Amino acid sequence: MSLQLRRISLNNFRKFREPLTIEGLGEGLNIIIEPNESGKSTILEALRAAFFVRHATKNQLAQSFAPYGEAVAPEIEVSFDIGADSWKIAKRFLKSPQVEVTGPQGRAQGEEAENRLQALLGFVKDSSQRGDPATYGALGMLWVPQAQALEVTAPGNIVRNSIQATLEAEVGTIVGGAAYERVRKRIDEQYELYWTPGGKAQSKGRWQAARDRDQQARQAAADATTRLDALEKSFCDLETARGRLKVLERELADETELEQRADLVQALEVAKAAAQILETRKAEHENFSTNLDRLEDLHAQHEAARAALMAASATFAAITANREQLTGQLEAGRTKVTEAKAALDQARNDRAAARQSLVEGEGRVALRQRRAAIADARQRHTELLNLEQQLGDARIDAERLIPAEAVARLEANDRAIAEARAGVNAGATSIELIGDIADITIGGEPLTPNIPRTLTGETQIALGGGILVIRPPATAASAEASLAAAFERQALELAEWDVVDLAAARTRNDTARDAQGTVQVLESKIAGLTPAQPLLDLAAGPDALKLLVASLAPDSATPDDDAISVDQLTRRLEETETAVVRAETMHDQAVKDLREIEDKDRPLAAEQAGAERDQTNASDRVAQIEGRPDFTGLADAIVKAREDAAQAAVKLAEAKRDATAHDVQVINRKIDTIDSRAKAGQTRRSDLEKDIARFEAIIESEGGKGLASVAAAAAEEADAATQALVRLDEEAATIKLLKDVLDEARAEAARTFVGPVAQRARVHVERLFPGAELNFDAELGLTSVTRSGLSEVCGTLSKGTQEQLAVLTRLAFADMLLEQGMPVSLILDDPLVYSDDGRLDLMTEILEEASQRMQVILLTCRDRAFRHLAATRVQL
């Protein structure tokens, strides 16, 4: 029977932050055509959430239902029909989650509603974090989200079992017999005591109770053992702490670091006399080297004497002559070394003097530049004050600008006055008396002769004994009133802006506009006058310049008029550096030459000493050498001399380093380190004493509680609980094994289902791929398609072909489920996106035919592809 969706309502579900209701879904083909990102895929996800995701879940999938960045409760409400029965489900997630299912049996809420919905649609509880469509049953396979139909996949266990149940009678397998059903029912009853439908251990029942007992007993035993171990560890920790305290006290009693600290304190004074110490170390090194050379020379003489026993007589004369020649060379070489050393010392002194002169010269140049910069800053400060005074005056003038609206009102009032005056003149009466005007009055006042007078209202003129009444037109009075009102408005406007007339206002505005330009020019000048000056650490801006000048003391320094050339001083230093390098090279070469001469003379002296005696007295020479007091232990003496020379070299290097790199701060840091280490030792001793006291308190508290007996009893209880759990584990494993054996038998029989499944699917596929044969595996998954004798694995087919096969196999499974009477409907999100025009038309025909057996809903953004179909069209 088909499942018919009637009404869908969403609120606070992902992108739908406002309520959305979809109504008018029909029984056959329904098409929702909307642009991308309008929420079509969200609607399908909401349907799956309403039917298959439990309301109280807090998993990652449920968290994704809420709109991004908002803490609200997603709500879904769906009305649907199954057969002749109407149902309604309402769910709310995350905040105050709840569910309500209304149907023929009445209304249910909470877990009862979830269980009723699960029994109605034939799915199982999903415990995954992201949602497992395999647990959704038939609708999980037939409600296809976007892009999930691009690969041909096998149906889930629930769908596969349902299809197998449908085909058992058709294939005639004995696995579906009555005996099998009785055995299977009994095994399932026992299986449910131990296992969930998904093959996981039950979380309730006696097996869980045994596991809980075993866990609790193990935990109790572990806790008892932990307490016992903690007590024993406290004993160990106490002894360890006492041992560490002894070691620490021994370390604290050690005065080595105190001696080091005293040495460091003394090193502060040593640093001041490093040069003198360096000379001392040089002398010591030279003495040790000389002693080593003497001992090694004695050893060489002894060896030479023994070797010269046979050749002494023949070579004596030649050696003597050679030595006489070398004597002059030695003296010349020593003199050359002395002169080179003196030249090197002089070059180094000249270099030091050149460096000092360069430093002094650079300081004087920097001071001169700073003075020049300060003088420039004072001058710019004076100019700045003048410009700021001008800027203040210009801003005052600029602020007197009358707004354009006010000027417009003044101009309008001026035009109104002119217009009113013209109206008065047009409607008024003008009189003028010429000649004798005695006894003629107007308004009780004498009339002035030869002056025209304009009358705008009724006027009485006394003429002797009579009165002349003049009544101008009525418009003259109204025109005069308009003129008076215009004068009054203009007077108020002029008074508000403190100007006498419109011309004065225009003149004032011209002055203000000129002042605005002046303000911009002066501000630019001030900005250009106050740049940053790195030499004085002066930031840009007038405030920084004022602050600098205010902080400067009066300049009372005498100008330095001496010409200083840093370049000359630098060239002088470079020349002295070159001279030092040259002197060092000459000195090194002289020393090298002298050493070469000495190296030649030393064996000659030994040979001469050996050759001085004849062959018969050579052994006496050896005896004489060996009889010398310093020959005894000569090898040890040489080793000792080499050690002394090495130590002297180390001390000499240290002296050189101290003379050039002794730093009081470094010595102070070393002293601080020693003090910190001593303080840390005291703190550590205090901590160990506290730890010892704490361990002793723990031992005193826990020692009398019989922890060993408690641990033994807990271990016995744990063993008993474990044995009971092992028995139940064996029972559960046996039950599972029986069920697995039956399932294997049923799976073996299920392989015979492949033929009927392929036959049903071929009905649909034959129209798309004429003559093709379908190959399914034991899991009822389509594995390959054979066309024209060539077998092609589904994974190698094009995406369009895979999508078409996936839709057609789903239709075949849907027809089988309909035969079993299960609620079925088909929803495809953006289907057939890779189909060509011909196959697209054929697939839409197949979907139209399928909509006659079940409700089909297409969610798409392609109006052109599905425009020709006769279907119920729904808009979001």
Side-chain angles (χ1 to χ4, degrees):
M1 55 184 170
S2 178
L3 182 147
Q4 307 286 334
L5 298 174
R6 298 299 184 190
R7 182 177 183 274
I8 306 170
S9 180
L10 310 178
N11 188 22
N12 291 326
F13 192 92
R14 291 188 178 170
K15 73 172 295 175
F16 294 111
R17 290 174 166 81
E18 301 296 333
L20 171 71
T21 300
I22 301 175
E23 296 180 316
L25 294 171
E27 295 183 355
L29 181 61
N30 297 266
I31 302 179
I32 300 178
I33 302 177
E34 294 290 344
N36 290 329
E37 298 186 358
S38 59
K40 302 185 298 299
S41 300
T42 303
I43 293 172
L44 177 55
E45 191 63 35
L47 285 173
R48 298 174 72 165
F51 283 93
F52 308 123
V53 180
R54 291 190 169 260
H55 68 287
T57 185
K58 301 288 186 180
N59 62 9
Q60 190 174 357
L61 178 62
Q63 295 291 337
S64 70
F65 294 160
Y68 179 76
E70 297 185 12
V72 295
E75 298 179 359
I76 311 166
E77 184 178 302
V78 183
S79 298
F80 59 97
D81 296 341
I82 297 180
D85 298 330
S86 297
W87 295 80
K88 179 180 179 182
I89 179 173
K91 272 190 182 180
R92 182 166 64 187
F93 295 92
L94 302 180
K95 285 193 170 185
S96 301
Q98 63 184 27
V99 59
E100 181 177 286
V101 175
T102 305
Q105 294 85 15
R107 184 171 58 181
Q109 295 180 336
E111 286 300 319
E112 181 181 354
E114 297 282 12
N115 294 334
R116 182 179 296 183
L117 193 64
Q118 183 174 326
L120 177 66
L121 300 178
F123 62 91
V124 297
K125 182 178 178 181
D126 180 17
S127 59
S128 64
Q129 282 292 317
R130 297 178 176 269
D132 183 9
T135 64
Y136 298 166
L139 296 181
M141 177 186 68
L142 299 176
W143 290 1
V144 187
Q146 192 176 56
Q148 287 193 8
L150 295 180
E151 294 182 359
V152 181
T153 57
N157 289 330
I158 300 174
V159 177
R160 191 162 53 249
N161 292 337
S162 299
I163 294 174
Q164 289 175 351
T166 302
L167 299 178
E168 277 180 351
E170 182 175 338
V171 300
T173 177
I174 61 172
V175 178
Y180 168 81
E181 291 298 333
R182 286 194 299 271
V183 173
R184 179 59 184 264
K185 181 177 180 182
R186 179 58 178 164
I187 292 176
D188 286 345
E189 290 174 355
Q190 293 297 317
Y191 184 86
E192 290 176 357
L193 296 176
Y194 298 100
W195 307 96
T196 64
K200 297 181 180 179
Q202 280 286 7
S203 59
K204 57 184 178 180
R206 62 173 183 169
W207 195 21
Q208 182 63 36
R211 289 197 297 270
D212 293 342
R213 177 194 172 192
D214 178 66
Q215 183 177 0
Q216 293 171 1
R218 288 178 180 273
Q219 184 64 41
D223 292 343
T225 303
T226 300
R227 293 186 62 187
L228 181 60
D229 293 342
L231 179 60
E232 295 177 353
K233 186 175 182 298
S234 296
F235 281 106
C236 296
D237 291 343
L238 177 60
E239 294 303 321
T240 302
R242 287 174 176 172
R244 290 178 178 175
L245 181 60
K246 291 180 181 179
V247 173
L248 182 61
E249 288 178 345
R250 185 166 58 251
E251 292 176 354
L252 292 177
D254 188 4
E255 296 182 355
T256 302
E257 289 196 346
L258 294 178
E259 295 175 356
Q260 293 178 356
R261 190 181 188 281
D263 293 340
L264 289 173
V265 173
Q266 186 177 2
L268 290 175
E269 298 298 330
V270 172
K272 300 176 182 178
Q276 182 177 356
I277 294 175
L278 177 61
E279 296 298 329
T280 302
R281 297 304 183 195
K282 286 181 179 179
E284 292 176 352
H285 179 263
E286 185 176 357
N287 291 334
F288 284 122
S289 299
T290 302
N291 183 50
L292 176 61
D293 292 341
R294 183 181 61 78
L295 294 176
E296 289 178 345
D297 182 63
L298 178 61
H299 178 71
Q301 289 178 17
H302 178 259
E303 294 298 326
R306 293 179 61 183
L309 287 174
M310 300 299 296
S313 299
T315 60
F316 178 74
I319 292 173
T320 301
N322 291 335
R323 287 210 65 202
E324 289 177 353
Q325 294 178 0
L326 288 177
T327 300
Q329 295 178 9
L330 283 173
E331 292 298 329
R334 292 189 182 99
T335 303
K336 187 177 181 180
V337 168
T338 302
E339 293 174 352
K341 183 64 171 61
L344 176 60
D345 293 340
Q346 182 62 38
R348 287 174 176 172
N349 293 335
D350 293 343
R351 181 179 61 182
R355 285 179 178 173
Q356 183 64 29
S357 299
L358 178 60
V359 171
E360 293 176 355
E362 290 176 343
R364 292 171 64 188
V365 169
L367 180 60
R368 177 177 297 174
Q369 291 175 348
R370 178 174 175 82
R371 287 176 179 172
I374 290 175
D376 179 66
R378 293 181 187 275
Q379 181 179 355
R380 288 190 286 113
H381 177 260
T382 303
E383 297 177 8
L384 172 64
L385 296 179
N386 184 29
L387 290 176
E388 286 184 340
Q389 179 63 37
Q390 298 177 23
L391 178 62
D393 296 340
R395 284 176 175 169
I396 293 174
D397 292 338
E399 290 173 356
R400 289 174 53 82
L401 179 69
I402 300 175
E405 298 83 359
V407 174
R409 289 195 299 272
L410 290 173
E411 292 175 347
N413 290 339
D414 191 65
R415 287 194 299 272
I417 291 173
E419 293 172 357
R421 180 177 287 112
V424 169
N425 293 333
T429 300
S430 178
I431 63 173
E432 181 179 358
L433 184 61
I434 300 173
D436 187 8
I437 57 173
D439 298 330
I440 298 176
T441 60
I442 180 171
E445 297 178 356
L447 183 62
T448 303
N450 300 322
I451 296 177
R453 186 166 182 173
T454 301
L455 305 179
T456 58
E458 180 179 317
T459 305
Q460 294 181 357
I461 300 175
L463 299 173
I467 296 175
L468 175 63
V469 178
I470 300 174
R471 296 184 178 89
T475 56
S478 62
E480 187 176 14
S482 298
L483 179 60
F487 272 118
E488 182 178 0
R489 286 195 303 272
Q490 184 74 324
L492 292 174
E493 195 71 32
L494 293 173
E496 179 179 356
W497 296 105
D498 192 22
V499 291
V500 296
D501 55 17
L502 178 60
R506 288 172 176 166
T507 301
R508 174 173 161 181
N509 271 15
D510 292 340
T511 303
R513 291 190 187 95
D514 294 339
Q516 287 178 346
T518 303
V519 167
Q520 294 179 355
V521 172
L522 291 174
E523 288 177 345
S524 300
K525 288 183 178 180
I526 290 174
L529 191 63
T530 56
Q533 176 55 271
L535 184 63
L536 301 178
D537 292 332
L538 173 64
D543 294 337
L545 179 60
K546 293 177 183 178
L547 184 61
L548 173 66
V549 173
S551 63
L552 293 175
D555 189 4
S556 59
T558 303
D560 188 3
D561 295 332
D562 294 341
I564 301 173
S565 176
V566 176
D567 292 339
Q568 292 180 358
L569 295 176
T570 303
R571 285 195 298 274
R572 174 58 182 162
L573 176 60
E574 292 174 352
E575 292 173 356
T576 57
E577 292 281 359
T578 303
V580 168
V581 173
R582 185 183 299 107
E584 289 177 345
T585 304
M586 296 295 293
H587 178 263
D588 292 342
Q589 186 62 40
V591 172
K592 181 179 178 181
D593 294 341
L594 179 60
R595 286 178 180 174
E596 290 177 354
I597 297 172
E598 290 176 346
D599 290 341
K600 294 178 181 178
D601 181 67
R602 190 176 295 109
L604 287 177
E607 291 176 4
Q608 184 182 24
E612 188 177 359
R613 295 179 180 272
D614 53 19
Q615 185 175 4
T616 58
N617 296 326
S619 59
D620 295 335
R621 175 61 181 163
V622 172
Q624 181 184 2
I625 294 174
E626 291 178 350
R628 292 177 59 175
D630 52 356
F631 185 80
T632 303
L634 179 61
D636 295 337
I638 291 175
V639 172
K640 180 65 169 59
R642 287 173 179 171
E643 292 178 354
D644 293 341
Q647 291 178 0
V650 171
K651 291 181 180 180
L652 177 60
E654 292 178 351
K656 289 180 179 179
R657 184 171 61 254
D658 292 341
T660 57
H662 252 65
D663 192 342
V664 175
Q665 295 181 353
V666 174
I667 298 175
N668 287 331
R669 282 199 297 269
K670 292 180 179 179
I671 295 174
D672 293 341
T673 301
I674 294 175
D675 294 341
S676 300
R677 190 180 297 114
K679 183 177 179 181
Q682 297 292 341
T683 303
R684 179 58 179 161
R685 178 167 62 183
S686 177
D687 293 341
L688 287 174
E689 291 174 348
K690 293 178 182 178
D691 290 341
I692 291 172
R694 179 168 55 83
F695 291 143
E696 290 175 346
I698 292 174
I699 293 170
E700 182 179 355
S701 174
E702 296 290 325
K705 294 183 180 180
L707 296 181
S709 300
V710 173
E716 292 178 359
E717 171 61 19
D719 291 340
T722 300
Q723 293 174 3
L725 179 60
V726 168
R727 289 193 297 271
L728 288 178
D729 288 343
E730 293 175 351
E731 293 179 10
T734 302
I735 294 297
K736 190 172 186 180
L737 177 60
L738 289 173
K739 185 175 183 301
D740 291 343
V741 170
L742 289 177
D743 289 342
E744 289 177 3
R746 187 169 184 177
E748 181 65 26
R751 295 185 179 93
T752 61
F753 301 156
V754 174
V757 171
Q759 186 63 32
R760 283 174 167 80
R762 186 175 182 180
V763 174
H764 300 294
V765 177
E766 179 72 22
R767 299 175 60 182
L768 198 63
F769 307 106
E773 295 183 3
L774 306 181
N775 303 307
F776 290 81
D777 57 18
E779 301 297 327
L780 301 184
L782 182 61
T783 58
S784 62
V785 178
T786 301
R787 293 182 289 184
S788 301
L790 179 63
S791 180
E792 299 175 88
V793 179
C794 288
T796 63
L797 299 173
S798 68
K799 288 296 182 182
T801 303
Q802 290 189 55
E803 183 182 27
Q804 295 150 18
L805 289 174
V807 173
L808 294 178
T809 53
R810 280 179 167 85
L811 283 176
F813 291 137
D815 289 338
M816 297 179 198
L817 295 171
L818 280 175
E819 293 177 12
Q820 193 177 354
M822 295 187 64
V824 170
S825 69
L826 181 64
I827 301 178
L828 300 177
D829 186 8
D830 271 342
L832 309 174
V833 293
Y834 293 104
S835 298
D836 56 45
D837 294 340
R839 288 189 179 180
L840 178 62
D841 292 340
L842 187 55
M843 288 297 297
T844 54
E845 290 179 10
I846 295 174
L847 290 175
E848 279 188 300
E849 295 173 1
S851 67
Q852 298 175 6
R853 304 186 298 274
M854 67 188 79
Q855 186 185 47
V856 178
I857 300 177
L858 303 181
L859 305 170
T860 181
C861 60
R862 298 185 298 158
D863 182 30
R864 181 178 180 182
F866 300 96
R867 184 187 304 160
H868 63 286
L869 296 180
T872 301
R873 300 182 182 274
V874 181
Q875 292 183 340
L876 300 185

